[in-house]
Amino acid sequence: MTEPRALLATRGVERRFGRRTALLPTDLELRAGELVALVGPNGAGKSTLLAVLAGAIRPTAGRIEVATPPPRVGWAPQRPALYGHLSAFENLRLFARLARLEHPEEAAKEMLDLMDLRARPQPAAELSVGNQQRLNLALGLLGEPDVLLLDEPTASLDPPRRRRLWELVVERCAGGGAVLVATHVLEEVAERAARVVLLVDGRIVLAGGPGEV
């Protein structure tokens, strides 16, 4: 059987912050149609790896390999990256324009409906923690990204919306996308993930099927 093609990959990627090494040389492939769970304790380097894959920070060493044509990458960081003075719709419309989506207003409205945020016109800074997280996820899902990077995505979500998020993740993979979910709760993703990668102290120490890690 032919292995799914890699949409995004790290090759010997390392990240240092001054004298502190957050990520040791790391090789990881995100393949079409796969959900990969990145697990490990707090401070293991999971968020750093996602930020490097998202292009938010540059690796200190190593390289990022991108498929041809380049995939659209969506990222929902652990701490919501929002403009607090803008409403949910205004945030979504702005990010849709920055992503050069063809119809930014329509894309923003679609995500408002998908994440049940249409009835919340107040500035994002005044939203509840749960609603800010839903907006954070909506921003990551904008434009139906080929690669979706989710950092502790179910934090602050109630059970129904947690289930809805996993439905969206499964749909993205079924459509040929690649999804990487960083979490310290293996049980939450084990039954859904094609692969599980364990990161400890900035190093991948185990990788395999859900029953192997």
Side-chain angles (χ1 to χ4, degrees), residues 99-119:
R100 299 182 179 180
L101 298 186
E102 189 173 354
H103 302 291
E105 293 215 2
E106 288 78 358
K109 291 175 182 177
E110 179 181 345
M111 295 313 302
L112 284 179
D113 290 336
L114 187 66
M115 303 305 288
D116 192 22
L117 288 167
R118 186 177 283 274

Side-chain angles (χ1 to χ4, degrees), residues 28-211:
L28 178 66
E29 289 189 351
L30 302 182
R31 302 169 191 152
E34 285 190 341
L35 167 60
V36 179
L38 180 64
V39 300
N42 291 332
K46 302 187 301 295
S47 294
T48 298
L49 179 54
L50 263 71
V52 169
L53 283 165
I57 57 177
R58 292 185 178 182
T60 307
R63 69 186 190 279
I64 303 294
E65 289 185 357
V66 181
T68 303
R72 183 185 296 277
V73 178
W75 178 42
Q78 186 174 10
R79 293 184 179 180
L82 313 170
Y83 288 96
H85 64 289
L86 300 179
S87 68
F89 171 72
E90 290 167 339
N91 268 282
L92 286 161
R93 182 177 59 187
L94 173 61
F95 277 78
R97 287 172 175 169
L98 292 173
R100 299 182 179 180
L101 298 186
E102 189 173 354
H103 302 291
E105 293 215 2
E106 288 78 358
K109 291 175 182 177
E110 179 181 345
M111 295 313 302
L112 284 179
D113 290 336
L114 187 66
M115 303 305 288
D116 192 22
L117 288 167
R118 186 177 283 274
R120 291 163 177 81
Q122 65 267 48
E126 298 177 12
L127 293 173
S128 68
V129 173
N131 285 332
Q132 286 188 14
Q133 176 64 354
R134 284 155 56 199
L135 176 54
N136 184 45
L137 292 168
L139 293 169
L141 288 161
L142 263 175
E144 298 184 351
D146 306 295
V147 177
L148 184 57
L149 309 170
L150 303 176
D151 196 347
E152 303 289 354
T154 59
S156 306
L157 295 184
D158 56 32
R161 292 190 171 91
R162 194 173 297 173
R163 287 193 295 271
R164 178 55 179 149
L165 172 63
W166 288 121
E167 290 172 358
L168 294 171
V169 166
V170 171
E171 289 172 8
R172 190 89 298 274
C173 291
V179 182
L180 177 63
V181 178
T183 179
H184 64 277
V185 185
L186 175 59
E187 295 78 9
E188 191 170 48
V189 290
E191 64 183 36
R192 302 176 176 92
R195 287 184 288 142
V196 177
V197 176
L198 175 60
L199 194 68
V200 178
D201 293 331
R203 183 190 302 275
I204 292 177
V205 296
L206 284 172

